[in-house]
Amino acid sequence: MKVSSDFSSDYAADLVRIFSADPNPEGPGMDVRPVSAAFEGTYKSVAKPSRPGSYGIIPLGGTDIAADATFSIRFQPRLLRESPQVLFSFIALPGKAVSISIQTAGLKLETFGESDAVSFAFEIGRWYELRLAIAAGGLHLIGYSVETGARCFEVRTRPLNERSGFTKLVLAAAQQLEDPAAFTSFFNGRLEAPMLLRGAQPVEGLPDSPALEGDILALWDLGIDIPTSHIRDKGPLRLDGTLHNLPAQAVRGSRWSGEEICWRHAPDEYAAVHFHEDDLYDCGWQTDFCFDIPHDLPSGVYGIRLRCEDAEDIIPFFVRPARGAVKAKIAVLFSTFTYLAYANHPRGNFDSAYVERRNAWRAYPHHPEEHPEFGRSLYDFHPDGSGIQFSSMLRPQLSMRPGYFAYPDARGSGLRIFPTDTHLVAWCAAKDITFDVVTDHDLEAEGSKALEEYALVLTVTHPEYHTARTLDAIGDFVAHGGSLGYLGGNGFYWRVATSDAFPSAIEIRRGETGARAWEAEPGEYFHAFDGQYGGLWLKNDRPPQRLAGVGMSAHGPFTGSYYRRTEASYDPSFAWLFDGIDDEILGDFGFSGGGAAGFEIDIVDASPPEAIVLGNSEKFIGDYCCVSERVNWGAEVNMSTWQASQIRADLCFIPKSHGNFVFSAGSILFCGSLPTNDFKNNISKLLENVVRRCL
């Protein structure tokens, strides 16, 4: 546990088991129960800063380049401000530097505390090259347009008064000399082809070919080792460096031709790195205490509860059964990749209505809008307008907290992602159904082995983000006789990548279609982590229908409707599924938008022929629309009646050859109906029949 506390007094820590994270006083409420743990006690409060911003550090190994050397680099600004953004800095001892920064007014060259500036109107998205000659007589800087080869600006400085050697090269930021762990003045844009030549080389014109091999001191190729944080030097000194805080790699450089769109096929054309002032992989906090999971701790959803004065926070985590322990028949698959994708998404609704409800419910007191220092979600944008491609667990995830609500929902609790998934946890407790916990990360690490011995796997409300390995694990589980309950909507939708080099992060490249907040730039659809094509699983020829029988069709406001049973649902073969249910209308109630069907919804379409529709939704509230991948220019597709027919949620059942089955809700809001009337309702009974069948 890594804790930052601004209090002067000590904080208390203990263990709780989480059964419900809904702060709505009209709903199941907050249900967290203390559990004895060895770490329980008080700890010293220590305030720890979060330090977003990506940069590169290249130790120079004592190489004396303070005189008679030339440094060149290409850069593409993506954001200009009145304040400076540092392209690079040569750090010298004792505590001084040579750095170059750009801003709205132009460029500034700082030399050991003295500065020279030149006016120039940089253009966003244009590539430039700088060549800096370092000589005893001073520094000579010339900048060129890469597109035209024309000279843009020139700066000459007075003779150098200090001759101390440079110890390191810092890319895309300025290192605070009084605090080497802190960086400022981050560059928002792309850097490419940093190179160091022997001697103060001529700086006229852009070279058409690389410098002579004998002149090269260092040639850092940013197209090498793209899936890692390494900065590789192809020069004779092998002055390798490291990228920090996950800047974007596998992005187009100045030499991109468009002939290849996969960086693996043309690494020289993708030898650039896109830095951002808000990139964040690891807060870098020190550990305050550790918790060794006892072997007899039951599998479930737990939290570390922290309390100090009038403040409380609970950091959730998941406990699987101990190795060798007897497993439950049921596993709940928690969507930890999706939690990461949405981590700290502010949703643009932090207003007086939100605060009023938060105060009235005494809900989780922190909103992502109030804490940009902890980074954003994969639905947000960097300050330069580019989409955020990485999300990491090594930071506080404010949206993954008990008591956090996403919407001031007039018809319910307004929960999303982890808090609303605890409606299923509370339902299992109310029905005395024992389950084991499994997460996306477990499937990624172990494949189908993580699901062995289970009769039924239940998803939570929004299993949207998956890798090939997690989909394979679920598919193999069903193929070998396991049953699947898909209790959400918009599931198995986006492809993400993981990395051994960055085990706490996921990456996404949003392709040219899909319900998306942003789209990857042309030629940048392949992940840096694994080199595979990103985007929708549908466009990777693994449609959700193949696994769950239903796939995303439409989305709308956070409002719920209901299902009406189909004629097929009254077939005697489904008597067990609807045992105890006399209603034709299912789920016209709930704590998520007021109904079981809505928000993001799936239909049976291009599904296995054995898929049976048991219910269709009706009468959505507000404006719903088809997802973009379903709308083409064909005459039929553009007919309003056709599109209207696609805006529905299908309750689906697929019998399988081993006597197992797939049951799909086709709606994100389904589990929000479970707690209604103290868990005594037709949605609750329907799910109970599914589970009891497998027990």
Side-chain angles (χ1 to χ4, degrees), residues 294-318:
H295 285 280
D296 59 350
L297 190 68
S299 181
V301 185
Y302 290 84
I304 303 291
R305 181 169 58 180
L306 310 172
R307 290 180 287 185
C308 190
E309 299 180 17
D310 60 345
E312 178 178 300
D313 200 358
I314 298 176
I315 299 90
F317 63 97
F318 304 97

Side-chain angles (χ1 to χ4, degrees), residues 327-341:
K327 290 186 177 181
K329 290 290 186 183
I330 310 299
V332 174
L333 176 60
F334 285 88
S335 301
T336 48
F337 286 162
T338 301
Y339 298 160
L340 261 183

Side-chain angles (χ1 to χ4, degrees), residues 598-647:
F599 191 45
E600 295 179 2
I601 47 179
D602 304 347
I603 67 172
V604 171
D605 177 58
S607 300
E610 62 270 22
I612 301 163
V613 178
L614 304 175
N616 306 124
S617 64
E618 295 180 345
K619 298 182 178 178
F620 287 117
I621 300 172
D623 293 328
Y624 277 69
C625 60
C626 287
V627 289
S628 58
E629 65 268 23
R630 300 187 65 83
V631 180
N632 300 312
W633 286 106
E636 179 188 12
V637 175
N638 280 280
M639 293 172 58
S640 59
T641 53
W642 185 91
Q643 292 196 37
S645 72
Q646 305 301 293
I647 300 175

Side-chain angles (χ1 to χ4, degrees), residues 80-270:
L80 292 171
R81 290 201 175 105
E82 297 296 327
S83 57
Q85 300 178 56
V86 173
L87 298 176
F88 63 87
S89 300
F90 282 105
I91 308 298
L93 294 176
K96 294 187 177 180
V98 171
S99 67
I100 291 179
S101 60
I102 64 170
Q103 56 198 103
T104 305
L107 177 142
K108 181 185 291 185
L109 170 59
E110 295 193 57
T111 310
F112 304 136
E114 299 180 351
S115 64
D116 296 271
V118 60
S119 297
F120 183 75
F122 290 103
E123 293 184 58
I124 299 296
R126 296 284 187 186
W127 279 99
Y128 301 90
E129 180 169 319
L130 292 178
R131 306 199 78 196
L132 176 67
I134 305 170
L139 305 180
H140 185 189
L141 171 69
I142 294 183
Y144 298 90
S145 164
V146 173
E147 182 178 347
T148 65
R151 181 186 293 192
C152 299
F153 49 81
E154 182 176 9
V155 181
R156 290 182 181 270
T157 72
R158 60 195 65 79
L160 297 177
N161 296 323
E162 304 193 33
R163 307 294 297 156
S164 58
F166 296 118
T167 61
K168 71 181 72 170
L169 169 63
V170 178
L171 301 177
Q175 187 173 31
Q176 292 188 5
L177 302 179
E178 66 278 5
D179 182 3
F183 293 80
T184 60
S185 305
F186 296 98
F187 174 58
N188 291 278
R190 299 183 176 185
L191 297 180
E192 181 187 42
M195 180 169 56
L196 188 64
L197 303 177
R198 193 187 315 275
Q201 299 288 330
V203 293
E204 289 297 330
L206 286 177
D208 295 326
S209 59
L212 295 176
E213 183 176 348
D215 291 333
I216 294 176
L217 284 172
L219 176 58
W220 293 283
D221 188 339
L222 302 180
I224 298 177
D225 281 353
I226 280 177
T228 75
S229 61
H230 302 310
I231 301 173
R232 294 301 189 192
D233 176 17
K234 294 166 62 175
L237 301 178
R238 292 295 188 263
L239 302 175
D240 293 342
T242 306
L243 296 169
H244 295 264
N245 264 343
L246 260 180
Q249 300 183 82
V251 296
R252 296 169 301 157
S254 64
R255 297 176 174 86
W256 189 66
S257 66
E259 295 181 3
E260 288 286 351
I261 62 171
C262 176
W263 61 266
R264 292 182 287 104
H265 300 160
D268 290 345
E269 298 186 18
Y270 289 86

Side-chain angles (χ1 to χ4, degrees), residues 356-436:
E356 182 179 356
R357 171 160 288 190
R358 183 174 72 177
N359 293 341
W361 286 2
R362 301 186 66 184
Y364 185 70
H366 303 300
H367 191 279
E369 191 70 48
E370 301 169 293
H371 295 281
E373 70 272 18
F374 297 139
R376 289 289 186 238
S377 75
L378 300 184
Y379 287 79
D380 297 305
F381 297 85
H382 292 293
D384 66 5
S386 57
I388 294 178
Q389 298 174 198
F390 301 103
S391 183
S392 167
M393 291 189 292
L394 302 180
R395 58 184 178 132
Q397 298 178 56
L398 303 182
S399 52
M400 190 184 167
R401 289 292 199 267
Y404 177 82
F405 68 92
Y407 297 101
D409 179 9
R411 306 176 71 210
S413 302
L415 307 185
R416 290 286 286 111
I417 316 299
F418 170 75
T420 199
D421 291 343
T422 66
H423 284 150
L424 178 59
V425 178
W427 177 84
C428 288
K431 298 297 180 181
D432 197 27
I433 293 171
T434 301
F435 69 90
D436 287 344

